[in-house]
Amino acid sequence: MTPASTAPDQRPLFQPRVAVAAVFGTTVEWYDFALYGTAAALVFNKVYFPDSDPLVATVLAFGTFAIGFLARPLGGAYFGEKGDTKGRKGVLVTTLLLMGLATTAIGLLPTYGQIGVAAPVLLTLFRFVQGFAAGGEKTGALIILFENAPPKWRGLLTSLPAIGTGTGTLLSTGAFALVTGLLPQEAFLTWGWRIPFLFSAVLTLFGLWVRRSLDETAEFKQEQARAALDTEPAPTAIGARIRSSRFVDAWRRYPKQMLIVICAGAGENAGYYIFGTFSVAYAEDKGLPTAVLLTGISIAAAVKLITVPAFGALSDRVGRRPVSVFGALVLLASAYPFFQLLDGGKPWVIWMALLVTLGIGQSAILGSQPAFFAELFDTKVRFSAVGVANNVGTVLTGGLAPLLATSLLLWFDHSVTGVVVFIALMSGLTAVTVLLAKETRHREPTEGSASRARPMETV
């Protein structure tokens, strides 16, 4: 007999330490991951690609930035399979360790002037490892919170890893703002930029200690018990193993849901990396003070610590769809005015523009979609399905965004027109996708054989 899903009244009481471990670990991982984006705009184009035109060097630097996103679906598939078969906790520990090692290695990496072409090659390799680890991290934190949360709190609790991403961004941007403000330009480019990367080692060790306290979720334990009753031998041939993987199973049973997850985050992904990363390179190209922009990004990241869970809680009351669509429309309406306000150069105006785009528009999508995505799939494939589909969407609509935006800036002769059109298209894609999906707020994810018989029932 297939075990039933954990009923709401049988679900163990939510333990705050689960939230602490998930959020702090995600904070550390996103400190590392976001650190690279800022460094790509301010440092790597000078110390690892020094012989190119400044804007072309920035394109090359953002190219290595994009490599990390290309690795994320691979990490999502690998860690998703491990998370669905071996357990959620092991994945969360492994991804944190990998990210910390890669980030510390970047902080120790010699420059192009010291070891030549090996420097950008190694930089790209370490960025790939960062992306591979990130492919399993945020999904793992989301899943472990979702499977521990009472149904009426799912939106709020699954939005908490986004607090970690916001806190990580705040710490990384703040670290760069601190070293750029305290050090002369020459000292910063010579050794100062390495300090934030090396600090990752301290954060990683503490994060690993925090995550040791995590337990496996009741839903995963039930799925393990169900799988233990399956007497069919595991396939040994590579082709058969791939066909029986959770990733392939998710695509076979939930094709429509997978496409929804890929497309629904387009506005949030593009908005974050355009307004929060590319805007720094845009400011440098226009001769605007980047310190003002970095401060504004830090302020917006701090505000997101409140707005993201607030929108997650709101999605528990009014539904995932209306909150997500609202965020997409805010980003759509803000795209052109944002760059006009940025060109004006007034600090408080720039900060307000960042608060609207990142603190409201992006936060509404970010707070409402984690529970929405997890509610589309059953326990057996949830980690793999969300991990792969969400990371594929992030690559297509977010990871390539700074590279594409910088290229569009060159193509349109330093005009921001192409970038505005790109943001509008991505925000529109989110709005249309979510409007075409069905609300999941009151729906219990189907489990076991029932879900296999009716895979399209959740959308």
Side-chain angles (χ1 to χ4, degrees), residues 170-366:
L170 176 63
L171 289 175
S172 64
T173 307
F176 260 101
L178 184 63
V179 293
T180 54
L182 294 178
L183 296 175
Q185 179 74 357
E186 183 178 354
F188 171 71
L189 290 176
T190 302
W191 57 269
W193 67 269
R194 298 180 183 275
I195 296 174
F197 283 87
L198 296 177
F199 184 60
S200 169
V202 178
L203 293 176
T204 299
L205 289 175
F206 189 70
L208 291 173
W209 177 76
V210 169
R211 283 195 167 174
R212 287 180 57 206
S213 66
L214 286 175
D215 296 322
E216 294 297 348
T217 67
E219 286 189 26
F220 176 75
K221 290 177 180 178
Q222 286 188 341
E223 177 57 31
Q224 278 189 314
R226 186 204 63 78
L229 300 176
D230 189 355
T231 58
E232 185 176 341
T236 55
I238 294 178
R241 290 175 62 184
I242 292 175
R243 289 192 296 272
S244 65
S245 68
R246 303 299 169 90
F247 161 66
V248 173
D249 193 24
W251 275 107
R252 182 171 58 247
R253 295 165 52 201
Y254 297 106
K256 184 176 179 180
Q257 291 90 330
M258 295 287 280
L259 291 175
I260 288 172
V261 176
I262 289 173
C263 297
E268 183 266 318
N269 292 325
Y272 175 79
Y273 290 105
I274 294 297
F275 299 126
T277 300
F278 164 76
S279 60
V280 179
Y282 176 80
E284 275 208 322
D285 181 60
K286 294 292 186 179
L288 301 171
T290 56
V292 172
L293 197 59
L294 290 173
T295 301
I297 293 171
S298 298
I299 293 172
V303 170
K304 286 169 65 177
L305 301 184
I306 299 172
T307 56
V308 169
F311 282 119
L314 183 62
S315 77
D316 283 327
R317 295 182 63 86
V318 303
R320 321 301 183 201
R321 294 170 70 245
V323 178
S324 188
V325 171
F326 166 76
L329 294 178
V330 169
L331 292 176
L332 179 64
S334 303
Y336 179 74
F338 175 85
F339 290 101
Q340 295 298 305
L341 297 174
L342 189 59
D343 288 341
K346 293 182 179 180
W348 72 270
V349 174
I350 293 173
W351 297 342
M352 288 302 297
L354 287 165
L355 286 176
V356 171
T357 53
L358 298 179
I360 297 178
Q362 193 230 350
S363 293
I365 304 174
L366 195 57

Side-chain angles (χ1 to χ4, degrees), residues 410-423:
L410 282 170
W411 190 17
F412 282 85
D413 193 23
H414 299 263
S415 168
V416 79
T417 302
V419 179
V420 171
V421 171
F422 171 69
I423 298 173

Side-chain angles (χ1 to χ4, degrees), residues 43-102:
V43 180
F44 295 159
N45 55 336
K46 299 178 178 67
V47 300
Y48 291 111
F49 306 96
D51 296 331
S52 303
D53 171 84
L55 196 55
V56 173
T58 302
V59 172
L60 294 174
F62 276 143
T64 63
F65 176 78
I67 289 295
F69 285 88
L70 296 177
R72 284 179 63 167
L74 297 177
Y78 176 80
F79 289 116
E81 185 75 15
K82 293 296 183 183
D84 280 332
T85 56
K86 304 298 183 182
R88 283 50 165 139
K89 176 182 176 179
V91 167
L92 291 175
V93 171
T94 303
T95 55
L96 182 59
L97 179 61
L98 275 178
M99 182 71 83
L101 290 174

